[in-house]
């Protein structure tokens, strides 16, 4: 809200996607009521621009029981987002109710961010929601084999050690993943020009500048 809202509106967009509050939910000290008040103020500003605004619920990833407090917060957040979308006339992509996302192939190893295939599926959902035809080829979700209890326990322990514990430590230090993350496309681009081609051209340009 502080860094992106006004620059986005300055572009005078016809469509705006707005997903905010996810990192705040990961901090159990965050006041949910205050968070959603701030969310509504930003949403009101965006809708008032005349653009079609697309908002999203958060997927309640059911992983380890250690994340149960987070899941309860996500459910509360999602109810608030649904109400605000209806109140302010925003287009809702109800991610939490798209149960295809229960498939592990659509998630990164941290089980919080989507994988490449998850992002592609989400892109199709957004295109459908705003009435834009697309030719995205979506990967078939092959049923995954159930794991025996020993493998499941080993995977759970590894997940907690490699993902949950570092996440909790970062939150206790007040650190966020986005603090050191640079924008993928700092200057506006036209996706129809082919993002892979644009990315390759950018890499070539960076290599030339590096000598």
């Amino acid at each position: 809200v502080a860094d992106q809202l006004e620059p986005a509106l300055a572009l005078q967009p016809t469509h705006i996607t707005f997903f905010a509050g996810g990192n705040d939910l990961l901090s159990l000290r965050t006041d949910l009521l205050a968070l959603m008040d701030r969310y509504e103020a930003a949403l009101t500003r965006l809708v008032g621009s005349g653009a079609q605004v697309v908002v999203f619920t958060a997927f309640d990833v059911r992983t380890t029981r250690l994340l149960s407090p987070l899941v309860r917060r996500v459910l509360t957040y999602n109810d608030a987002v649904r109400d605000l979308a209806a109140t302010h006339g925003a287009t809702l992509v109800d991610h939490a109710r798209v149960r295809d996302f229960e498939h592990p192939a659509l998630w990164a190893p941290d089980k919080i961010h989507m994988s490449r295939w998850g992002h592609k599926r989400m892109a199709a959902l957004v295109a459908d929601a705003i009435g834009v035809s697309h030719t995205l080829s979506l990967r078939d979700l092959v049923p995954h084999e159930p794991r025996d209890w020993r493998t499941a326990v080993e995977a759970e322990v590894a997940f907690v050690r490699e993902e949950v514990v570092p996440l909790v430590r970062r939150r206790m230090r007040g650190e966020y993943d986005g603090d050191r993350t640079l924008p993928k496309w700092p200057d506006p681009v036209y996706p129809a020009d082919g993002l892979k081609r644009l990315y390759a051209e950018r890499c070539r340009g960076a290599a030339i500048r590096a000598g």
Side-chain angles (χ1 to χ4, degrees):
V1 169
D3 299 332
Q4 299 181 35
L5 187 65
E6 296 305 324
L9 289 171
L11 295 172
Q12 298 182 321
T14 57
H15 296 75
I16 301 173
T17 55
F18 182 59
F19 179 62
N23 281 329
D24 301 280
L25 288 175
L26 295 175
S27 174
L28 298 181
R29 292 175 293 183
T30 298
D31 182 335
L32 273 179
L33 183 58
L35 173 65
M36 298 317 297
D37 283 344
R38 193 179 186 200
Y39 183 107
E40 183 174 19
L43 181 60
T44 302
R45 181 93 172 82
L46 293 171
V47 172
S49 72
Q52 181 178 2
V53 181
V54 183
V55 297
F56 307 80
T57 54
F59 199 80
D60 54 321
V61 183
R62 309 283 171 87
T63 54
T64 173
R65 290 184 180 178
L66 290 175
L67 294 183
S68 294
L70 171 60
V71 171
R72 288 195 295 271
R73 291 167 67 79
V74 168
L75 296 177
T76 301
Y77 169 88
N78 285 346
D79 286 341
V81 169
R82 292 182 185 113
D83 287 344
L84 292 173
T87 299
H88 294 282
T91 299
L92 175 67
V93 174
D94 206 339
H95 188 192
R97 290 177 175 164
V98 183
R99 301 322 299 181
D100 280 356
F101 280 89
E102 291 178 348
H103 199 289
L106 301 185
W107 295 96
D110 65 5
K111 303 182 184 181
I112 293 176
H113 297 91
M114 287 182 286
S115 66
R116 173 190 173 192
W117 294 107
H119 278 290
K120 198 170 187 180
R121 221 168 193 82
M122 178 56 69
L125 289 172
V126 172
D128 291 339
I130 63 176
V132 173
S133 60
H134 65 84
T135 57
L136 290 167
S137 176
L138 302 181
R139 189 181 195 181
D140 290 334
L141 297 176
V142 179
H144 57 285
E145 294 294 328
R147 299 174 297 184
D148 63 82
W149 70 267
R150 191 182 302 277
T151 302
V153 169
E154 290 174 351
E156 179 85 350
V157 170
F159 171 66
V160 171
R161 181 181 62 249
E162 297 169 10
E163 301 292 344
V164 176
V165 171
L167 174 64
V168 171
R169 285 175 177 166
R170 290 195 297 273
R171 293 297 176 267
M172 291 178 67
R173 294 194 296 264
E175 297 176 359
Y176 294 91
D177 295 339
D179 291 344
R180 295 178 297 276
T181 302
L182 298 176
K184 293 180 180 178
W185 300 101
D187 300 312
V189 297
Y190 292 94
D193 291 340
L195 291 180
K196 289 182 179 179
R197 181 177 65 79
L198 291 170
Y199 179 73
E201 290 176 355
R202 187 171 69 179
C203 289
R204 283 196 298 271
I208 292 171
R209 288 193 297 272

